Structure formats: structure tokens, C-alpha cells
Amino acid sequence: MRLLEQEDDGGFRLTGDIIRNVPPYAILSHTWGTDGEEVTFEDLVDNTGKDKAGYAKLRFCAKQAANDSIQYFWVDTCCINKSSSAELTEAINSMFRWYHEAVKCYVYLSDVSVDTNDQYDGLSRSTWKSAFRNSRWFTRGWTLQELISPISTEFFSVEGKRLGDKKSMEQQIHEITGVATRALQGFPLSEFTVDIRMSWAEKRTTTRKEDEAYCLLGIFNVHMPLIYGEGRDHAFMRLREEINKSQGASVRDQSQAAALKRLFHSNWTVFNSHVDEHERKCHPDTRTDLLRQVFEWVEHPDGKCILWLRGVAGAGKSAISRTVSEQLASREQLAASFFFKRGEGDRAKASRLFTTIAAQMIESTPALAPLLATALETDPALPEKALSEQFDKLIFKPLSGVPNESFKKSVLVIVIDALDECEREWDVKAILDILTQCRTIKSVSLRIFVTSRPELPIRLGFQRMAQDTHEDIALHDIAETNIKHDLHAFLSDELAQIRRDACITGDWPSSQDLHCLVDMAHPLFIYAATAIRFIGDRRLGDPTDLLKAVLEYEIASDPSKLERTYLPVLDRLLIDLHPRDQEKVLVRFEQIVGTIVILKDSLSIQSIARLLSISTRDVKSILDLLHSVLDVPADIDSPIRLHHLSFRDFLLDESQHGHCRFWINERVAHDMLATHCMRIMSIHLRENLCELKHRGILRSQIDTATIDSRLLPELKYACHYWVNHLHHRENANHDHNALYAFLEKHFLHWLEAMGVSGRSFETLAIVESAEMIVQSSGNGQLIEFLYDAKRFTQTNMRILDIAPLQIYSSSLIFAPRTSIVKNTFSAQIPAWIQRSPEMERYWDAHVQTLEGHQDQVYSVTFSPNGMQLASASDAIRLWDASSGSLLHTCEDPMVTSVMFSPNGNQLASASSGDAVRLWDVSTTTLRFCKVLVHFDEGWCSVSYSPNGKQLAAGHNDITELWDVVTGELLQTLPGSSNSEWNRSIMFSPDGKSLASKSADDTILLWDTVKREVLQKYQGYSFTFSPSGKQLGIGMRNGIVQLWDVATGQPLEKFESFHVDLAWRFEPTGANSINSAQVTDIAFSPDGKQLASSDHEKYIKIWDVATQQLLQVLKGHSWSIFSIMFSPDGRYLASASRDHTVRLWDMTIRQPSDRLDGYRDYLDTRNSTLNSNRRAPIKDRLLEQLPRIRDGHKNGVEWIALSPDRRQLASASLDDTIRLWDAVTGQPTHILAAHSDKITSVTFSSDSTLVASSSCDMTIRLWDAASGQVLQTYKGHNGRVYSVRFSRYSDHLLSASADDTVVLWDTLSGQSMGTKFRLQWPRTIWLAEFSPDDRLLALGGLDGSVHLCVLKTGELLHTCSGHSDTGLITSLIFSHDSKQLASTSCDGTLRLWDVVNGQPLRTIEFDRDASTGQPLQTIDHCTDVTVLGFSSNKAYLTTNRGILKLKEVPDDTSSTHGATGSIFVTDEWICKDGQRLMWLPHQYRGKYILVYDNHVVIGQASGRMDFWVFDF
């Protein structure tokens, strides 16, 4: 390489070509100017170019290098002789290394300018941040390696001012470029997949198109010659080839192995699996016409996506599938195969279909491996997600993202056999819906070959498909002569092999016998296969005798096909036995084989023996003679399988009762198996079955081998299917005492086992099934237990899935006080919980909280059949309405409205400022259909017409009606103003009118045919009654008014209430608080009830006829935006600003026990509720009253602990402060003098005083002992954001929205005359004294941190690092005033060196401190405020607990709780870094304070929850 060397006169010159001993050098990174601006190699050789604009960059680099004592520097414009292609190629291939080996890299940003009048180095980023983010340097291809490669990178403005370095600006650079922070930190790029690294360059450009590939050589550590003129695509093709070569086969194999390991695929289900290696394929002389037809479909260029082969049981479909798979594999056209088989574990589960297909496709197309690995790294739980999401991320997107040349063939086929044997009908429907998407894959022609019986769900699924999507072949339509020919060829060949193996001489079988056997078999190939297995089984006798035995059934009294198939085999069990012995064999047959044929999952000999409590010898003795009908492996731990389901059908056929000795009474068999399931669960289930170290271990952290060793197959089976067998037993009203005894002892153990095995979301359906079984039993205790168990399960399914052992702690603790489950298992609540908040007394109407959205949820809607729920927020989420499990997620920017079509087959969504989209809906998936309309700005809402043919879309204050099928705009209805928002829109039930609401609260009722306004109203929300005769309108003052649609006259009025400071209910009116405004209203399907939601976080349920308030639903912690009844009226769904969707059971009549005052109403309603499950409403409310009076009436915003740790002060949105005894948790005083929101509260150093700041522009000083106001400080002209005491509490410091920080005399209440204003407009949110009272730290609303001298106000440093979108939430100095800690709404805690203002450390609360990787959502930690340093700076005290900063040997520092410390994340109470107890959403609170062994959580409801732990 050549360098530029500094000369003594300040100039510089080119060196010669340096090959060895390269001296230390600096390097310049910049964006090239236009042609002729840059200094070239020739210019330096000729000593010209000094008049070029680019020469200034050379002088800058020389000067900066000299300042850093570096003699040499390198600049790409002039240090390469570009006239030499060899030198240019070598330079470009070496450039990444050259940048990496440079001592310094200077980034010169010619389009970023700063104020040259600034006199200090720590420039405020607000003056150049926008230009920095938008700099052209971040868009260029070559600068990617120049950003990543150097060890030390510094950024400079066009004036040459230093802006920062790569380390200090890491977060901003990551946000601008998308480059992972670990890559910026210098971690090996091999940590990142090829696709991730490619994504960093996606939006970057180069002057020459080939350079888009060449600039990535260093990123992938590859080398190749430069061929300018080859074009971008060819350059990238060569780059990909070099990348593949450099990675080598071993790396590809590792990538495949990593992907395969996470896919949870099933090897049993592939066509050539070991377990099926003896299953038959088509004889070479059979099915020739059919196979030719199949392969013509494969090869036809316009062949349809799916070929469905259908036929009755035993017709030979699976043999055809194996043959097709084998031939496709030999042609390298088999993408994957999956052979369903009911009763065989994973082979019956749809959940393994797409993971298994993906695993096979990796092997056939290795280029898919990195794409799948990336998908699994991004979402490790993907193999357990909804089928639609699995298909999308494991098959559709990877296939779509691989170039055509990666595939060996242009047509690939997936074979799916016996789809009818998939265990869940709705999964079959979903699979068929999903498979239609394969036709839209462009990179390869993907075909699907499906076989099944012609069952109704499958027929309907194919009928729903477009005609151009599939074709089908019916086996029963094949000519009889062809079938008999194939049977003859198969039997003739197989019998000839038996003859050779048995050394049979002569003409055997005879032609007559062979033709007879063919006639008996026609049209069932299963008959032929079973007969051959029977005749060839030497354990049963001589083949000639066995053939005779089979043929005897041909002349029997017209036996059925199945009798002819199976009786020859079964009768061998009884040959030559005494009648008494025959009975014994039949009893064992019924017990063992009866169990095998009714099992929901196949089990091994060993597992069946343990399940039935018999010896393996007994099991084997029965099965030894049944190999012709059962696949009995030699290994007793391998599962037994039916050769064909028709064997089960035959044994359980009711028509066989009375004349077939082998008939099995299915209900008796289920009864016996249910008893054995409960017996084996009673023996083996116990708490902490897997012996986990602590109760907070996540299910995802439990090793599969550990689970399998504790939950043996028979125990897993019993846990999953015991109620299923109870449901099918002979006597539904059987004595249930045994069931009750089992539940009282093992209910939680069973839940744990189901959670550990990943089946938590199946538990509710199982418990509901058990409840239904016992309803008519008359056993009141059992009925009550199961009702309570259902509520307990329904509430806890999510945490059971996340951390199963929480069922013994969190789930029990947060259950109502009268919960039967809670009281039955109360002894299992951890002893280390000394004090916990008092829970509700009874189960209320809230049944589930659906979490997952990362933003406020604007809309929620039920599907017409009530089985699904869709919610709109940062994405569309589709939920199972019963279990609450997430079915599918569709990314869509800021979705504000969703609605199902009337037939449930489509979903419409509207995104703010974006578009209206249509989605096709299946049972478990949403599939994008089309964009109906684009728009540029504003809120949007959608509504289907009742017939589903039209969609109304309201946006930009207009309403458009679209034809759903054609996408044609039918008409446009104007709004009432020029507002860009159209908040709501809805068709009337008869479709003749349409109502729309604008942002100015005008509601227009339109005649959609005449395009006329029928009525005009004012209101905030509205809905039609089910009859369409009434329009309900919710007002901003909390009133709901009904209107007659026909006449426009007002009808009933529903007047709401809000709670005042004295806890009285008062009617809302024109002057009532705005939080009472009705955000949404909904009628129940029968029109008898009306629900209204508001910004007060409550849902009110009204009786439409009487206008009486029936109940108040509480639980959300923020405003509610949307509510909807389920189609059957049983449930109500609500969507909230708190990021959740909640489900409420409307069959439970229970006014909120937090709201008192409706005494007359309570008295009249009390007598109507006499269920054992519901105590009198009045008692429930009144018993809570003392506790309610001790809490705030609105959300708790701040909690402060006095320095002597004896008192707490809580500040609330109710404008009051409350003082509490920090030891007992009892309230002591209410401080009510502020007239607006309180922004901060703090204690004096001696704990005797309390200071508070408020939006009422005042600061108040209180006596902590009496609660009296001592001083009121006035002087600010804006909201006061914070107040702090000085070291000796003789001064107060306040920060205000008037852009001043004021110092006050504590005793006099007078300003000290010291006001701090920064040198540019700035709003300071927070001010803090240093311990020596010498310095001030100021935190801004824009994330800035400033250090000032207290006496003079001189600004020492501005500390840059926090995001400019997040205000500073806390500041604290170390005891020696040398370090400063700050927290921000950007989710980080940063440590600063007070001396120079430089950053020392950053802690990101959504990332693992050691790896930098994103934490699981449940471990996120928001709203952290820092409260103090330990004396040795090894720890930080925060409101959520102790944060360890460094390891200190033999640490004896006085840090409260530093050893065995408690820390509270968003969802967990942790100890020593281990999760201990999960907090349900409604108990996580708005502010948390941890001290000693106490945790105090201030709730959004105003309640204060006190926890005390003793570890």
C-alpha cells in the first residue's frame, strides 16, 4: 500500500509501495464528490490538484493525524493508482484489512455542520443530530466496511469539529444503519449470517453498479477479481459463489445441523423412515396408469399446484404415496414427504408437518439452511407457533428468498399422505388453506401431492379452493379390470416369494386359488397386504394351510370385507384351546388389544404394560400372533402401530356385537383406560417433577431429556387423554368420588405436567370437558371444584406455558381468597413470602389477558363463529378465543381498525396513514390477499356491509365504499369537516344506512343508496343496536344516549359516574372530567345489554330496558379503545392503551368491588344473585371499603423512601400524596394541597420533611410527621417537573417547563435568586445536587444530560448518549461526586465521568448485559430510576432493586440487599438474578420500589401493594 507522509513544512507526499513493516497510519473515510473534485494519484505525482475541493479533506486528515501524533495517513482517492487494474483489484480486496489495521479512522462528513461559535468539545447534538442521521455517508456502499472494520472511528463535521466516536454514538449508528451493535463493537462478523450481513447493505448505493457487490468483499472475508462491465447481478452471483466457497461444506453442514436441531422435526413421518421400511410400495406391474397420470401432472408446465388422490380405507393410497415419493427422490424432485398416521404421536400432529418438511428441504436445497437458521434465531419458539406462521417463515419466505439457480430442478413436489389421519379436524382445514399459497412462490414451481379418504372436512376444504389450484383423482373411479390386474400382479408375486422361502413344490397357489383371492381382495389392497402377511408368517403355520384358512372365509355366510381380512388372523389365537382357556385369551385380548385400538397416541409394549399394570410378558404373548395386523417391533420401547385403521374399525363395530368373539366394547375399554390413567398419574405426579432448581425456570430452559426422563410416555399419555377416556366411558354418571380425590391431591401436579410438556393451552378444554361430564352427577363439591379449576386454569394458561412451576406460587397467590383451588393447595405457597397484598374475594368477570402487542391496541373483533379474536396494534394478531393462545401475527404498520367479513373468510384492516388491506382467514392463519386502497395520512376505520359485498373505509374525513371482489370504488361520501381523521364507521344491520364519525365529533347517518345524510349527531363513539332501530352514541361527558334511527328522536339515556376525592359517586355532566368520555359502546347480540368503555379504564354494563348499571369491569391499567361482545354474548373483549386485550365472562354478574356508592342499586340486585359461586354484591363491596380508602383513587406515579427507611411517600394522578409506614405498610397521612398532577416527591436527608412538585407550578414542603403543609414555593411560570433537597436539606432545587432551574431556601420558601438557563432553548425535566453541593446535574426532555457549577451556573459538560426521543427519568451522583448515573425513557442506564463528561458504561434494560443480545420480552425492564451508588461504586440502587456494576472480592460494602438482592423486572420478582415470582399484568403497577426485603408496587388503580420476603 502507498501512504501519505507528513513533512516538516506541513505538507505531505506519497510514499513508495510499502509491502512489509507498514508504519502506524490514520485513514480517511468520506463520501466522494463529483467528477473532478477529488485529488487523484496522478495529481499527487504531478504535484497538482491543490485547487480542487477535495484537497481540503487531505489537509483535514493530515492535521488530525498530526494532532494524534500519527505521521502517515491513507486516503482512497489518491493513494491508489486506478489506471492499473491489478493495483485497483488488489487494493479493493485489501481495503477491509487496511481500515482494520489503521490506528485511527477519521470520518469526514461534508454534509454535517455545527455552530463554530461553540467553545467546548462536548457539542450539543441537537445542533447537528438531524444532519448526522441524514448524512449521505450512511447511504454509500463502501462506507459500510469503513464503519465496521476500524478499531477506532471518530466522526467530524465539515468544519473539522469532532462529533463523537463509534463507541459513544453506537446506539445512534445502530438505529441509522441497522448494523448490529456487536458488529460495531468489533465482534467477529462470522457471528452473523450471510443474510443479516447482506441486509446491512440493502439500502446502500454505489456509483458503479458492480461496486455494490465489490464493496462487500471484506464484510464476507472473500476475494475475487474485479470485472467492471459485468453488471450488478453477475457480480453478486460471483460474490455468492465465493461466500459459499469460503464458508465451505463444513460450515454449511453446521448451519443445516443448527437449523435441524431447532426444527423439532419427526423422522418417523418421511416416506423412507426406518419404522416404515417394511411398508409396501406399488408392485412394478401395478398402478402403471395412475403413476403415469401423477408424473404427467408433475412435469406439465401449467400443472395445478395440488393433486388430491382420494379413496376409501384400504384402497392402497399410502403404497402409491411411497412409490411416488421414491420415484420423485430418484429424480431429485422430492422436496419433502410427510405420512400422517393417527394414534402415533407426532405422526398425527399437524404441529410437526411444516417443521418436518422444512428439515427435509434443507437437505435437498442446502441454500435454504442459512435462511431457516436466521428465522429460528430470530424466533426460537417458531416450531411451536401457529401453522400459518411456521409455513410462512420456514417454507414460504425461505423458498421465495432463494435464487432459482439454488434448486436442482425447476419443479419440486411435497408428498402428504393420509391427511385424514391428522388428529384435529380444524388443523386439516388450516393445512389445506395454507397449501394454496404454494402457487405464489416464484423461485421454484412447488407442487403438493395429497392423499386421503374422502372425508367431509377435506372435501369441503378442496371445494373452497379456486378451481385453478387443484385437481383430483378418485381411486374408486379406476376401472375394475385395472384394479384386479394390479391385485393379481401383487398377489402372484408375493405368493411366489413365499413359495420360494418355504420351499413349497408344485403348482402353488393354483390359478383358481389365486383368482379367488383376487376376487376376495377387490378393491381393497389392505386385504391383499394383510393376507400376504398372514400367509407368510411362519409362526402361524404352513403357508399352504394358512392360504386354505383364508379361502375358507370366501365361502362363509357372506362375511364382510373386513371379516374376510381380519378373522383368519384373529382365529389363530384360539385354535386348539380349551373353551376355558379361550375365555382367558379373549379377556387378555380385550384388555391389551382393546387398549391399543382406542389409544389416542401409540405406545410401546413397555408403556402399555406399565399403564395397565401388567407384565410385558403378558402383552407380548397376545401380540406375538398378531403381527399380520399390528406392527409389533422387537424393541419393547418402540411404539406398536396398526397396519391399517380398518382393523380398529372392525373390532369396535357395534354390528359385530353378539356374533364376533373379538368384538371390543369401546365404552368399557375407555372406562378401564380412564381408571388406569388416573392411577398412574396418582403414582407419579408430584410437585416439581423435573426437579428444577427454582420456580422461575422457563419451560424453554428445561432440557428435553430431563422432561422425557420424568414424564415417561405412558404418564404423558395419561395426562393428555384421561378426561377424553372419561368422556367416552360406558356410564357417564359413574361414581365420581375417585375423580374428586384425584383432583384434590393432584390437580396442580397435572397442570405442571401439562405445562412442562408444552400443552398448557390444551388444559382449559380438558377441564371444561371434565366439568361437563360431572354436571349431572349431583356431586356438588366436585362441580364447584371443577368450576373453580376452570377459572384457575383459564387465568393461568400463559404463565403455565412460560414457567410451569409458577402454578404453585404466582398462580396460587393471585387467585381470589375464596378460590377452592387456592385453599386446597395453600400449603404449597412458598414460605418465603411473608406478606402479600390482599386479593379479591371472588373470581370476577375477567378471565384472560392476551399479551404480546408492543403498542396500544386500537381495535378488537370476534370472528362470526366466535372461535377467533383479532386485535389491531403494531401488528394484527389472531387469537384462539377459547384458550387465548396466539394463532398468527401479521406485521402491518399501526393498525387502527380490524373487522371480519360476515362469513368469517376475510379480515379487513386499516393502518393509519397507510392502506386498507384484506386478509384471507383460515382456522389458524391470516394470509394477505390485497391492498384495497392507499392513503397518505390520517386515521382510518373499516366496516363490512352485512352481505359482505362492500367494504366502507373512512379516512381523511371521507367515507369510501368499495366492492370487495372487484376492488372497484363504488361511491364516496364527504365528511363534516376538513379533519384528516375518520375515527369510526359502521353499516347498519340491514345495510341500508351507514354511520361515520369525524374528529370534530360529528356523526353522520347516511342513506347509502341515495347518498343523502339522514341525521346528524354529536358524540365521541357510536354503534347500532342489533335490530338497527337504535343508534347508541357515547359522549365526551360520559353519557350514553340512544336515538331512534327512523325519527332521529332521543330515547333512553345512560348516565355514568366518576369518583371524587371523597370516594363518592357523582353523575357526570357538562363539567365532569374528560377521562369519563365514552370511548366505545357495544350492544349484546340479543340487544338487552349495553357496554360502554372510557378513559377511566372501566367498562360499564347496562340494562337497556331499565337503564340500570349492572356491573363495572375493571382490570385495564389505561384507556380502553375498543369493546365487542362475542356472537353468543357470553364474552366481551376489550382493547386498551395498556397494550393488552382482555376477555370478560358476561355470565358472571359482579360489579367491581373497587367502586362503592351504589347502595340502593346493590340492595335491589342482591336478592337476584343466589349462586353458591357468588356472594352478595353489597358485602363484597363494603368489605373492601377500608382498604380502598387507604389507596389512591388514580394511578400511582411515584414512590419515595425516606433515608431512615421508616416512611414511604406515594404520589398519584389524583393530585394527592400519601404517607405510609414503610415497615407495616399502613397509611399514615393524606397530603392534599396541590391542584394538579404531582410530578415528584422527595424526603429531606433527616427524613423529617417531604417536598413535592406539581403541574400547578408550585412546590410544597410538608411535615412528614403530621402531614401539614409548611411552605408553598411560587415563582415558576410553568409546570414544575422535579424538586430535590440539597445535602443538608437547607436548599431545594426545582426544574420547570419555563426552562429554568431555581434554587430555594428551604425554611423561608424564597428563591435564592439563582436561576439557571442553558445557553440555548432547552426544557429541563430533572435537576440533582452533587453530594458536595458543588455541581448540578440537569436532565432534559430530549435525553440530554448537563453538568453545571452550582454557584455560577457555568456549563461544564453535556453528556451525549441517551436517545433524543426519551426524557431523563433519574440522575444521581456517586458519593465522591466523580461519577453520575442517568436513566432515560430510551430504556438505558448510563454512567458518566463527571470530570470530563465522557461515558463510562451503558446498561440496556432490554438486552443481556453479558452478551448484548435482546432479552426475552418477559425479562424486559422499563421505568427504571436510579436512587444511589454503593460506597465502592460496585452497585447501583434503583427503584427496582440492586444493579451490580462490577465484582468486588470480599465485598462488605453497606449496600442494602446487595447480597441475596431482590430485583423486579416488568413481569418478574427476581432474587440473585433468578426469576422467583411472575406478576400478572394487572399487578405489575405503574411504579415499583424495592428496599431491603420489601417490594412496593403502586398500581394504575391507585392501590398500593406491599410485599415482604424472607429468603
Side-chain angles (χ1 to χ4, degrees), residues 981-1046:
W981 286 358
N982 192 318
R983 281 285 187 179
S984 303
I985 194 166
M986 182 181 292
F987 276 97
S988 62
D990 61 6
K992 295 180 180 180
S993 57
L994 181 142
S996 64
K997 174 195 170 291
S998 300
D1000 63 0
D1001 285 1
T1002 299
I1003 299 171
L1004 300 178
L1005 185 64
W1006 291 87
D1007 183 309
T1008 56
V1009 177
K1010 299 179 180 179
R1011 296 184 72 241
E1012 294 178 351
V1013 175
L1014 301 175
Q1015 301 291 344
K1016 187 175 182 179
Y1017 308 93
Q1018 285 294 119
Y1020 190 76
S1021 55
F1022 67 89
T1023 191
F1024 285 98
S1025 66
S1027 67
K1029 296 179 180 180
Q1030 299 167 315
L1031 184 70
I1033 295 181
M1035 313 298 287
R1036 287 186 179 269
N1037 60 10
I1039 293 173
V1040 177
Q1041 175 73 60
L1042 296 190
W1043 297 83
D1044 187 298
V1045 171

Side-chain angles (χ1 to χ4, degrees), residues 355-372:
T355 56
T356 302
I357 289 174
Q360 294 174 69
M361 290 176 65
I362 290 175
E363 298 177 5
S364 62
T365 308
L368 291 170
L371 299 179
L372 286 167

Side-chain angles (χ1 to χ4, degrees), residues 464-538:
R464 284 195 306 272
M465 292 183 190
Q467 288 298 315
D468 62 348
T469 301
H470 75 96
E471 60 182 276
D472 64 290
I473 300 173
L475 287 177
H476 59 267
D477 289 341
I478 298 175
E480 180 179 335
T481 55
N482 289 352
I483 296 176
K484 284 193 172 183
H485 169 271
D486 292 347
L487 285 168
H488 188 281
F490 170 74
L491 289 169
S492 177
D493 193 65
E494 292 294 325
L495 289 171
Q497 183 62 46
I498 292 173
R499 182 178 67 244
R500 290 190 293 270
D501 292 343
C503 300
I504 300 173
T505 58
D507 184 19
W508 186 91
S510 67
S511 177
Q512 180 181 353
D513 287 348
L514 182 57
H515 281 293
C516 183
L517 198 56
V518 169
D519 288 338
M520 292 175 68
H522 179 268
L524 301 181
F525 275 79
I526 186 60
Y527 177 94
T530 303
I532 289 299
R533 282 194 297 267
F534 176 70
I535 296 168
D537 193 340
R538 298 300 301 274

Side-chain angles (χ1 to χ4, degrees), residues 1280-1326:
V1280 185
Y1281 289 134
S1282 69
V1283 63
R1284 293 292 185 271
F1285 280 101
S1286 63
R1287 180 180 183 182
Y1288 298 109
S1289 303
D1290 52 343
H1291 295 99
L1292 283 171
L1293 190 68
S1294 61
S1296 169
D1298 62 10
D1299 297 332
T1300 65
V1301 177
V1302 177
L1303 189 67
W1304 307 84
D1305 180 84
T1306 303
L1307 295 181
S1308 68
Q1310 298 300 309
S1311 167
M1312 301 288 292
T1314 304
K1315 288 191 177 184
F1316 303 94
R1317 285 186 185 272
L1318 296 185
Q1319 298 174 9
W1320 53 89
R1322 175 83 56 180
T1323 298
I1324 297 300
W1325 175 261
L1326 190 62

Side-chain angles (χ1 to χ4, degrees), residues 107-389:
V107 179
Y108 180 82
L109 302 176
S110 58
D111 52 359
V112 178
S113 178
V114 298
D115 185 356
T116 56
N117 293 322
D118 289 317
Q119 299 300 313
Y120 61 95
D121 191 47
L123 296 172
S124 167
R125 287 181 35 240
S126 65
T127 61
W128 50 265
K129 62 185 180 182
S130 178
F132 181 79
R133 285 182 174 273
N134 295 313
S135 175
R136 182 168 166 262
W137 188 84
F138 289 113
T139 69
R140 303 300 291 165
W142 290 106
T143 56
L144 177 61
Q145 67 177 1
E146 296 165 18
L147 169 66
I148 293 174
S149 180
I151 295 174
S152 174
T153 303
E154 298 179 351
F155 295 88
F156 293 85
S157 70
V158 68
E159 298 87 3
K161 283 189 171 288
R162 186 180 185 277
L163 306 176
D165 57 34
K166 184 163 63 173
K167 183 177 180 181
S168 66
M169 306 173 77
E170 178 184 289
Q171 183 62 30
Q172 289 73 35
I173 296 170
H174 163 68
E175 293 171 359
I176 297 168
T177 64
V179 176
T181 54
R182 285 177 65 82
L184 296 174
Q185 292 164 0
F187 285 86
L189 294 183
S190 58
E191 285 189 8
F192 307 95
T193 66
V194 172
D195 289 317
I196 289 176
R197 282 180 273 176
M198 283 288 187
S199 71
W200 298 339
E202 276 181 356
K203 298 179 180 179
R204 292 175 178 262
T205 60
T206 57
T207 302
R208 305 190 69 167
K209 289 299 181 183
E210 294 89 349
D211 282 341
E212 291 185 31
Y214 302 159
C215 72
L216 299 176
L217 295 178
I219 300 295
F220 294 102
N221 192 25
V222 297
H223 306 278
M224 68 182 195
L226 311 185
I227 310 175
Y228 284 106
E230 66 176 323
R232 177 188 181 280
D233 292 344
H234 195 270
F236 264 103
M237 183 182 72
R238 291 198 300 122
L239 176 63
R240 283 280 188 180
E241 290 174 355
E242 293 300 325
I243 292 171
N244 290 338
K245 289 178 186 177
S246 71
Q247 288 185 321
S250 61
V251 175
R252 289 197 299 274
D253 290 344
Q254 291 172 11
S255 179
Q256 292 179 32
L260 281 168
K261 186 175 180 181
R262 296 176 180 175
L263 277 175
F264 303 149
H265 60 287
S266 173
N267 290 323
W268 287 14
T269 60
V270 299
F271 85 95
N272 56 354
S273 68
H274 171 67
V275 295
D276 280 348
E277 66 177 321
H278 300 300
E279 295 293 339
R280 299 186 181 276
K281 305 178 183 69
C282 295
H283 186 276
D285 295 330
T286 66
R287 304 294 197 185
T288 53
D289 290 341
L290 175 61
L291 293 172
R292 183 177 62 253
Q293 187 177 352
V294 170
F295 282 95
E296 285 176 353
W297 162 76
V298 171
E299 298 298 340
H300 196 291
D302 297 321
K304 295 180 180 179
C305 178
I306 302 174
L307 176 61
W308 176 32
L309 179 68
R310 52 190 169 92
V312 297
K317 301 182 295 297
S318 294
I320 295 169
S321 293
R322 289 189 188 90
T323 304
V324 169
S325 298
E326 184 178 61
Q327 293 188 24
L328 286 169
S330 68
R331 300 179 181 201
E332 296 186 325
Q333 287 185 289
L334 180 66
S337 62
F338 193 98
F339 282 61
F340 280 103
K341 199 156 191 178
R342 188 172 296 149
E344 294 196 8
D346 287 348
R347 294 192 64 172
K349 291 181 174 63
S351 61
R352 294 293 177 258
L353 173 63
F354 294 125
T355 56
T356 302
I357 289 174
Q360 294 174 69
M361 290 176 65
I362 290 175
E363 298 177 5
S364 62
T365 308
L368 291 170
L371 299 179
L372 286 167
T374 299
L376 290 162
E377 287 168 6
T378 304
D379 187 359
L382 187 55
E384 299 179 7
K385 293 289 184 66
L387 294 178
S388 55
E389 196 162 351

Side-chain angles (χ1 to χ4, degrees), residues 765-920:
I766 294 173
V767 174
E768 286 181 330
S769 180
E771 185 187 26
M772 182 180 67
I773 291 170
V774 304
Q775 280 302 318
S776 59
S777 68
N779 188 331
Q781 283 185 311
L782 180 56
I783 292 172
E784 289 296 323
F785 186 98
L786 281 169
Y787 172 81
D788 193 78
K790 178 180 71 176
R791 294 303 311 274
F792 186 88
T793 304
Q794 198 169 28
T795 302
N796 291 290
M797 279 187 292
R798 179 172 182 263
I799 189 55
L800 181 62
D801 183 59
I802 294 172
L805 290 187
Q806 285 297 299
I807 209 74
Y808 301 106
S809 50
S810 175
S811 299
L812 287 176
I813 289 167
F814 291 105
R817 304 198 308 276
T818 58
S819 164
I820 297 172
V821 172
K822 179 172 187 170
N823 288 290
T824 301
F825 297 97
S826 59
Q828 290 171 284
I829 296 176
W832 42 261
I833 301 176
Q834 279 195 331
R835 184 195 303 164
S836 62
E838 190 174 42
M839 298 301 144
E840 313 294 341
R841 188 174 181 187
Y842 299 97
W843 292 110
D844 59 15
H846 174 245
V847 292
Q848 283 197 69
T849 300
L850 310 183
E851 298 186 68
H853 283 296
Q854 303 303 307
D855 202 346
Q856 49 199 2
V857 189
Y858 295 103
S859 178
V860 64
T861 182
F862 280 98
S863 61
N865 62 9
M867 295 177 62
Q868 299 156 306
L869 192 72
S871 54
S873 177
D874 54 322
I876 303 170
R877 289 181 179 253
L878 189 68
W879 311 84
D880 183 295
S882 175
S883 68
S885 60
L886 179 64
L887 300 175
H888 190 65
T889 301
C890 288
E891 301 300 330
D892 196 4
M894 193 177 171
V895 190
T896 56
S897 177
V898 286
M899 185 179 185
F900 283 97
S901 62
N903 62 9
N905 292 334
Q906 203 172 61
L907 183 87
S909 69
S911 299
S912 179
D914 183 31
V916 173
R917 293 176 174 83
L918 300 182
W919 309 81
D920 289 335

Side-chain angles (χ1 to χ4, degrees), residues 1234-1239 1253-1258 1278-1281:
H1234 284 294
S1235 59
D1236 206 339
K1237 176 183 174 180
I1238 297 167
T1239 54
S1253 60
S1254 170
C1255 290
D1256 65 6
M1257 299 188 289
T1258 69
R1279 298 174 179 178
V1280 185
Y1281 289 134

